[in-house]
């Protein structure tokens, strides 16, 4: 049951022991109004922060009386925070994909999404009818602002107006793959790496590399040894690494319309992970190396040291917060806590290419997600990783931020306290200071007031808490990923 809260539908179903976390359901409620206003700023806005933070995530979970059943199922909504002249302008706008427009016109959901089947029984769910919602990441490139899903091609956006510009071609012209929402930007060259997936009798990967001016530098097609669902991947100067984790979709069940894509997947830890090390030049065949079973949403970074690859990421022993009838990402939409039995620990693969061996190490066993890197360190050796973190308990909904020095193991944290949710913190470099100085911009939800805010933290002084807090007039649903576009990029 959703109750109106301003323009946002807030699910306030209460159930016993879950009452103290019921406020989290605002992360999965619809934001039906598109805003444009200047929110109140508390604290001190750093003068050097000049540019726009773009964020993407699901913004609509209800239509025509039907509610989605999973946190990953909402239509993509872009939020923009424009920092200029000591003020911040806030806007939100849905990505006008054909799916969004078709259902808007119908006044109801008509198409299946990852977990929520289309209404009407078997027929509307037979075959692959999942369309892009362009609702996972936003990536600013010199030529375009892109909104990515994990289905088909990305959508272009006008960075000034947030107007949807339609599907944008990436990769080789003759390839129709579903490009992963996570892309990699080589900090040395500015080249942009994308990875597409084509499911079929065998899973095929399509790797594409674009120059900063958009030109396609190279592309290759690689057959995977097994089907696996993965969300993010690694790149180094010479390699791309894909972790084929043992979360396997059943295409027969999905295509027959018997199961949603998510519900067709099984976690099979007995199979372990299989790391595919792909030569970016295409000169060598991919190397396949086994590793312990581990579920990864997000990579931090990877780099080469001689003939060794170091790859840091957040890993889980089980993805039960994501798949299954009681998964936390599903029960959140019913206003209750569900399964989330393993923490996202910060882990490292040390891949010895000479010995053909993978060693997995734990850098921090505490709860983390949404790894963020100083962009200038991408594909090179890094020292710091920035994460969301939970101050207590095993939960995928976090209330703090952490900076980990992967060389010394030092972990600096700040918690907003129980009753506050903090999302991914985008790192913005302070061009006037040393290289690891900058700001972390994290979109939070205050459960006490049911209002969202953007916290601005000094990246190297996390323990001081936010230096500024931009107070929105309403809650916003969970925004997965963001991108900073400096004013100098205009
Ligand atoms: Fe992601």
């Amino acid at each position: 049951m959703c109750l109106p809260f301003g323009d946002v539908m807030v699910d306030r179903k209460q159930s016993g022991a879950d009452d103290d976390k019921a406020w989290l359901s605002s992360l999965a409620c619809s934001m039906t109004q598109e805003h444009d206003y200047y929110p109140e700023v508390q604290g001190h806005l750093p003068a050097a922060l000049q540019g726009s933070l773009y964020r993407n995530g699901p913004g609509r979970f209800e239509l025509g009386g039907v509610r989605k059943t999973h946190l990953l199922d909402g239509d993509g909504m872009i939020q923009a925070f424009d920092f200029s002249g000591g003020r911040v302008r806030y806007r939100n706008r849905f990505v006008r994909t054909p799916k969004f427009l078709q259902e808007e016109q119908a006044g109801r959901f008509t198409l299946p999404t990852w977990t929520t089947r289309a209404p009407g029984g078997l027929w509307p769910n037979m075959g692959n009818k999942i369309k892009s919602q362009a609702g996972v990441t936003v990536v600013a490139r010199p030529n375009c602002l892109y909104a990515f899903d994990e289905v088909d091609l990305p959508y272009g956006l006008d960075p000034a107006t947030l107007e949807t510009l339609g599907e944008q071609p990436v990769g080789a012209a003759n390839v129709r793959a579903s490009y992963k929402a996570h892309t990699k930007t080589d900090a040395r060259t500015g080249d942009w790496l994308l990875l597409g997936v084509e499911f079929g009798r065998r899973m095929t990967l399509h790797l594409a590399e674009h120059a900063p001016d958009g030109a396609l530098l190279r592309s290759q097609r690689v057959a995977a040894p097994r089907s696996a669902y993965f969300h993010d991947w690694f790149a180094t100067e010479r390699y791309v690494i894909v972790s084929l984790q043992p979360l396997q979709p059943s295409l027969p069940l999905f295509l027959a319309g018997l199961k949603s894509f998510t519900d067709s997947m099984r976690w099979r830890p007995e199979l372990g992970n299989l790391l595919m090390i792909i030569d970016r030049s295409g000169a060598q065949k991919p190397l396949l190396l086994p590793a312990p079973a581990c579920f990864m949403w997000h990579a931090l970074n990877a780099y080469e040291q001689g003939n060794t690859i170091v790859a840091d990421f957040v890993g889980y022993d089980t993805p039960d917060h994501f798949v299954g009838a009681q998964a936390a990402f599903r029960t959140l939409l019913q206003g209750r806590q569900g399964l989330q039995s393993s923490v996202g620990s910060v882990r490292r693969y040390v891949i010895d290419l000479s010995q053909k061996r993978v060693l997995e190490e734990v850098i921090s066993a505490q709860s983390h997600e949404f790894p963020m890197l100083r962009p200038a360190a991408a594909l090179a050796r890094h020292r710091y990783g920035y994460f969301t973190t939970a101050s207590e308990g095993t939960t995928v909904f976090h209330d703090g931020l952490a900076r980990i020095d992967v060389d010394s193991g030092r972990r600096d944290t700040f918690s907003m306290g129980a009753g506050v949710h903090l999302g991914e913190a985008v790192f913005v470099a302070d061009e006037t200071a040393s290289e690891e100085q900058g700001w972390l911009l994290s979109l939070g939800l205050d459960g006490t007031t049911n209002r969202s805010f953007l916290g601005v933290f000094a990246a190297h002084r996390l323990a001081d808490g936010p230096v500024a807090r931009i107070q929105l007039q309403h809650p916003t649903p969970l925004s997965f990923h963001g991108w900073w576009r400096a004013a100098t990029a205009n």
Side-chain angles (χ1 to χ4, degrees), residues 136-137 182 231 297-298 370 481:
V136 182
T137 59
H182 287 281
H231 177 71
W297 281 117
H298 297 118
F370 294 117
H481 295 291

Side-chain angles (χ1 to χ4, degrees), residues 204-257:
T204 304
L205 304 178
H206 296 274
L207 180 61
E209 303 192 20
H210 289 273
D213 66 1
L216 183 66
L217 295 172
R218 54 190 178 186
S219 65
Q220 61 173 305
R221 177 182 188 277
V222 186
R226 70 186 193 198
S227 286
Y229 172 76
F230 65 94
H231 177 71
D232 197 0
W233 46 287
F234 304 96
T236 69
E237 191 177 337
R238 288 180 295 168
Y239 301 101
V240 157
I241 303 103
V242 178
S243 178
L244 300 175
Q245 49 203 15
L247 184 58
Q248 298 188 317
S250 166
L251 289 189
L253 287 174
F254 169 61
L255 295 175

Side-chain angles (χ1 to χ4, degrees), residues 186 199 210 381 411 435:
D186 189 326
F199 282 108
H210 289 273
R381 183 174 175 146
R411 186 171 177 271
E435 62 178 22

Side-chain angles (χ1 to χ4, degrees), residues 232-234 236 241-246 267 272-277 289-296 298-299 301-303 305 308-316 346-352 357-363 382:
D232 197 0
W233 46 287
F234 304 96
T236 69
I241 303 103
V242 178
S243 178
L244 300 175
Q245 49 203 15
W267 175 243
N273 285 29
L274 201 52
L275 301 191
M276 273 186 89
I277 294 120
L289 297 176
C294 173
F295 176 78
M296 176 183 94
H298 297 118
N301 189 38
Y303 60 90
Q305 274 186 314
T308 297
I309 295 171
V310 175
D312 291 350
F313 63 102
V314 174
Y316 300 81
V346 181
R347 308 185 191 199
R348 166 169 289 185
Y349 285 137
V350 180
I351 304 167
D352 186 329
R357 253 190 343 224
V358 178
L359 186 68
E360 186 191 310
E361 301 170 349
V362 174
I363 293 174
H382 58 275

Side-chain angles (χ1 to χ4, degrees), residues 13-348:
K13 182 177 175 183
Q14 311 262 315
S15 58
D18 293 333
D19 282 2
D20 65 333
K21 296 286 187 188
W23 61 271
L24 279 170
S25 59
S26 288
L27 296 175
C29 276
S30 300
M31 195 162 166
T32 54
Q33 186 181 337
E34 293 185 325
H35 295 272
D36 186 347
Y37 65 93
Y38 287 83
E40 176 200 353
V41 176
Q42 297 174 350
H44 175 70
L45 276 183
L49 263 184
Q50 298 289 324
S52 295
L53 171 71
Y54 298 101
R55 294 207 58 86
N56 196 359
R60 184 168 72 174
F61 294 93
E62 287 99 0
L63 191 65
V66 177
R67 179 149 168 81
K68 295 290 183 186
T69 60
H70 199 281
L71 187 55
L72 307 187
D73 275 0
D75 288 292
M77 183 184 76
I78 303 296
Q79 299 181 71
F81 295 82
D82 304 315
F83 291 69
S84 176
R87 295 201 302 169
V88 179
R89 177 186 178 193
Y90 172 80
R91 289 169 295 160
N92 68 301
R93 193 152 186 194
F94 282 94
V95 186
R96 264 66 177 179
T97 61
K99 174 197 176 288
F100 179 89
L101 295 171
Q102 177 184 322
E103 294 185 329
E104 186 85 342
Q105 191 169 26
R108 61 192 176 88
F109 290 130
T110 56
L111 293 164
T113 44
W114 286 91
T115 311
T116 310
R117 288 155 53 82
L122 206 56
W123 174 248
N125 292 287
M126 284 176 70
N128 181 6
K129 296 195 173 79
I130 296 181
K131 305 294 182 203
S132 173
Q133 302 184 98
V136 182
T137 59
V138 57
V139 179
R141 294 290 298 168
N143 58 334
C144 190
L145 184 66
Y146 294 91
F148 276 85
D149 205 85
E150 272 188 8
V151 178
D152 293 335
L153 296 168
Y155 280 77
L157 303 167
D158 182 321
T161 64
L162 307 184
E163 180 191 353
T164 304
L165 304 176
E167 209 174 54
Q168 301 294 311
V170 293
N174 59 346
V175 168
R176 185 78 195 188
S178 284
Y179 283 89
K180 288 292 170 188
H182 287 281
T183 65
K184 308 292 165 187
T185 304
D186 189 326
R188 290 172 309 117
T189 61
D191 293 346
W192 192 33
L193 284 67
L194 299 99
L195 189 64
V197 170
E198 201 181 344
F199 282 108
R201 201 168 55 81
R202 293 190 70 183
M203 188 171 86
T204 304
L205 304 178
H206 296 274
L207 180 61
E209 303 192 20
H210 289 273
D213 66 1
L216 183 66
L217 295 172
R218 54 190 178 186
S219 65
Q220 61 173 305
R221 177 182 188 277
V222 186
R226 70 186 193 198
S227 286
Y229 172 76
F230 65 94
H231 177 71
D232 197 0
W233 46 287
F234 304 96
T236 69
E237 191 177 337
R238 288 180 295 168
Y239 301 101
V240 157
I241 303 103
V242 178
S243 178
L244 300 175
Q245 49 203 15
L247 184 58
Q248 298 188 317
S250 166
L251 289 189
L253 287 174
F254 169 61
L255 295 175
L258 298 171
K259 297 267 192 189
S260 70
F261 185 81
T262 308
D263 288 333
S264 83
M265 291 198 283
R266 281 181 60 204
W267 175 243
R268 300 186 61 193
E270 71 279 7
L271 298 179
N273 285 29
L274 201 52
L275 301 191
M276 273 186 89
I277 294 120
I278 302 167
D279 179 358
R280 282 174 58 182
S281 75
Q284 300 173 47
K285 282 177 60 178
L287 181 63
L288 300 172
L289 297 176
C294 173
F295 176 78
M296 176 183 94
W297 281 117
H298 297 118
L300 172 65
N301 189 38
Y303 60 90
E304 294 164 38
Q305 274 186 314
N307 221 20
T308 297
I309 295 171
V310 175
D312 291 350
F313 63 102
V314 174
Y316 300 81
D317 290 340
T318 166
D320 65 359
H321 61 275
F322 167 39
V323 289
Q326 297 304 318
F329 282 1
R330 188 192 289 258
T331 58
L332 183 74
L333 280 89
Q334 303 155 12
R336 61 189 179 87
Q337 299 284 292
L339 286 178
Q340 37 195 323
S341 64
S342 77
V343 299
S345 53
V346 181
R347 308 185 191 199
R348 166 169 289 185

